[in-house]
Amino acid sequence: MYEYPVEATLEVIGGKWKTLILCHLTYGPKRTSELKKLIPEITQKMLTQQLRELEEDGVILRTVYNQVPPKVVYELSELGESLRPVIDVMCDWGERYIQGKLPERGDSGL
Amino acid sequence: MYEYPVEATLEVIGGKWKTLILCHLTYGPKRTSELKKLIPEITQKMLTQQLRELEEDGVILRTVYNQVPPKVVYELSELGESLRPVIDVMCDWGERYIQGKLPERGDSGL
DNA sequence: CGGAATCCGGAAAGATACTG
DNA sequence: CAGTATCTTTCCGGATTCCG
């Protein structure tokens, strides 16, 4: 099915906003409006779409509370929990990257 | 600049084909045609584009040999090497995912 | 001949308004 | 509050063309 294993990973978390969403969900369950507030640049449409795909891939759970106003909560599934090491190492690299604690950029600096 | 560190990571390796390209480069320098052969589904255009962006972000080095026929070789820079743990953990998860060694999908299974 | 740039049609993503 | 529908804009795939 996949030429290389990493393609499977990309299939699951490769969406434009998926890793960021999962990153926020590692801190606990979040409802839609919370995620929207945590990721202001995302549009409602893309948020819904990416959440749907994550749900279909079984990495997050979606719980709907039948009430008015509506309440929908998303959280990591067991499979999603298994992605923690991936998320963590990505967050970690990003931190060091921002803080300049990584090797210099490999080019001539232009 | 970034709301969350992981956004920096996504900025660098978040492109559609970047992680896969980097994955192949972890096995050693590759010329354009080799990468094209390793990733048949990618178009020449996207390959060039993603390689340019990776180069601009300083994670890969581009060496042009002035000869006929042309020869261009790409390899990880020092900064790119620092991404190895990220790539590795992603490959590792993908392997276990494919082999069914991960928790069941979190949904009702349908 | 390998590598990259260009042009165009289609698909995906952004913005916004609307519904239950 | 969540999610949908519509429209616009950007991005991607494929073919062709260009250059050394």
Side-chain angles (χ1 to χ4, degrees), chain A:
Chain A
M1 181 149 183
Y2 300 107
E3 287 293 322
Y4 294 89
V6 76
E7 294 182 64
T9 309
L10 292 171
E11 186 88 7
V12 176
I13 66 169
K16 183 167 186 182
W17 301 96
K18 290 181 183 177
T19 303
L20 189 51
I21 291 171
L22 291 174
C23 189
H24 287 297
L25 290 181
T26 59
Y27 294 101
K30 297 273 180 297
R31 52 189 297 184
T32 314
S33 55
E34 291 179 299
L35 287 171
K36 182 71 189 70
K37 189 164 288 186
L38 287 165
I39 314 172
E41 327 90 69
I42 199 175
T43 61
Q44 207 103 1
K45 188 179 78 170
M46 287 311 294
L47 180 58
T48 302
Q49 180 182 313
Q50 300 280 287
L51 286 168
R52 284 285 178 287
E53 294 180 12
L54 287 169
E55 189 193 2
E56 282 168 21
D57 284 328
V59 294
I60 65 172
L61 300 174
R62 178 171 180 262
T63 307
V64 181
Y65 296 84
N66 266 348
Q67 62 183 44
V68 178
K71 179 179 172 184
V72 179
V73 172
Y74 297 93
E75 63 188 314
L76 293 182
S77 69
E78 272 196 70
L79 181 58
E81 290 289 346
S82 75
L83 277 165
R84 266 185 199 274
V86 180
I87 313 269
D88 286 346
V89 75
M90 289 180 72
C91 291
D92 190 54
W93 189 90
E95 253 173 64
R96 283 180 294 142
Y97 180 77
I98 291 173
Q99 297 173 6
K101 292 180 179 174
L102 288 169
E104 294 297 315
R105 297 162 44 83
D107 58 23
S108 50
L110 61 134

Side-chain angles (χ1 to χ4, degrees), chain B residues 99-110:
Chain B
Q99 296 174 4
K101 294 181 180 174
L102 287 170
E104 294 298 314
R105 298 162 45 82
D107 57 23
S108 51
L110 74 137

Side-chain angles (χ1 to χ4, degrees), chain B residues 28-81:
Chain B
K30 298 272 179 297
R31 52 188 298 185
T32 313
S33 55
E34 290 179 300
L35 287 171
K36 182 71 189 68
K37 188 164 291 187
L38 287 166
I39 315 173
E41 327 91 70
I42 199 174
T43 60
Q44 199 96 5
K45 190 177 76 171
M46 285 311 293
L47 180 58
T48 303
Q49 180 181 313
Q50 301 279 287
L51 286 168
R52 283 284 178 288
E53 294 181 12
L54 287 170
E55 189 194 2
E56 282 169 20
D57 285 327
V59 293
I60 65 171
L61 300 174
R62 179 171 182 263
T63 308
V64 181
Y65 296 84
N66 268 347
Q67 61 183 45
V68 177
K71 178 179 173 184
V72 179
V73 172
Y74 297 92
E75 62 188 317
L76 294 183
S77 68
E78 271 196 72
L79 182 59
E81 291 287 347

